[in-house]
Amino acid sequence: MYKKKSQLPPGPTPWFFLGNLLQKDVLPLNKNYSKLVAKYGPMFTIWMGPKPMVVLCGFDVVKDALVDHAEAFGGRINSPIIDRLSKGHGLVNSSDMQWRELRRFTVMTLRDFGMGKRSMSERVQEEAVCLVEALAATKGQGFDPTTSITPAVSNVISSVVFGIRFDYTDKTFLKHQRIIENQVGFFHTILGLVVRIFVALYKMMDSQYLRLRVSSSFQLYTAVPKILDCFPGRHQKIFSDSEELCAFIHENMKLHRQTLDPQNIRDYIDCFLIKSEKEQKSASDTFRTENLVMTVFGLFLAGTGTTSFALISGLMVMAKLPHIQAKVQQEIDEVTSATRAPIMEDRVRMPFTNAVIHEILRYPQTSNETIPRTTSCDTKFRGFTFSKGTVVAPLFTSVHHDPLQWETPEQFNPGHFLDEKGQFKKKEALIAFSAGNYMSLW
């Protein structure tokens, strides 16, 4: 540990074996990064158990790494938890060649089915009508928005992947929604048993450690997976639930195979099966059943959690800032005349609404950071030499709250995305969906 430490950017002193995992002045990073930056600079090293991770903070450093040195910082991390969930298949494929091929195929297929185009907008509009009806059924009473929003988001993904949508009350659909939410929630909560073990060992913890969030729980398993695999707990249920959801996807895939019509392609699964038949005579085994199941699993897991979070954040903003809500509603009414739903082409005529949506993506200081990446080769970067395989974590919260890039970084301010004439303006410092070679589909 100390040999590696001398070669990396400075950072808080790690404890033996545990590193910085249980140090409340280090994790979660979204709460402590500013103090660490003030002490060590915009690049510092923290230790996830015995494993170092270099944290990049601020727009200039993150952009320099992810965009200007995209190839060097584009390596994929070997994560024990992701490896166990995926078994090395799908969009986290252990084979770099297969991963690139699957990623390329998936991006092209999703685009063919309308990702970023009007046809996808129509799918969203259709689901939005169902969502509004579900919310209206509460008749003004208090409710948990996730119970409606998460299924709505999943239905949009389902329409592309499975070619169908599910009723919000469908028992199988609801069960699988809970599994997906638990998968996402695993990265948002502690592994309680392990924390208690550490409490007993060190007697140095207070109640704050019982509120370790996303990064800490994910990285705790990453640091000591073999130890955690020996104990019961929520993490074990996550793995068993994953098997159940994959079994459902597998059954759906078999039904697709039985009814497949190459002249009438219905969805992503059809496209994959057709591609699989074409590749049967080739040496590549990329388009096999295991990769299809885990790719679909990954699309649901990644797409549902992030999109649901953004929508619920938007509702919270509307509820807490009624003057913002009123101005957005006024602009929508002026453009659509309350006679139709907004369409993609209306975006240029709704600069304030567009600015609010972008600010919703910027503002939250969540501990749900990107999955770290690694250096793909020995790399010299800003005075340090990173050996191949060094784990690097760009901290997007630090970018979205960088005082050098935003006038009022700690306030919700749609003006960040408006020019002096009130027209929408893009901001390079908004990287809500990451950047560089690693930015989409892992």
Side-chain angles (χ1 to χ4, degrees), residues 3 340 385:
K3 182 179 179 181
R340 61 174 175 82
T385 299

Side-chain angles (χ1 to χ4, degrees), residues 105-170:
F105 169 80
T106 299
V107 170
M108 291 177 61
T109 302
L110 292 178
R111 284 176 178 164
D112 289 342
F113 278 97
M115 186 175 69
K117 300 178 182 178
R118 182 169 182 171
S119 57
M120 180 60 74
S121 174
E122 292 169 353
R123 293 175 192 264
V124 173
Q125 284 184 343
E126 291 170 1
E127 194 60 41
V129 172
C130 299
L131 176 59
V132 169
E133 291 175 351
L135 299 183
T138 63
K139 298 181 179 179
Q141 301 300 309
F143 67 97
D144 179 359
T146 59
T147 59
S148 299
I149 288 178
T150 303
V153 173
S154 280
N155 262 334
V156 174
I157 301 173
S158 178
S159 69
V160 176
V161 174
F162 294 132
I164 57 174
R165 70 173 300 277
F166 296 89
D167 189 272
Y168 295 163
T169 60
D170 184 281

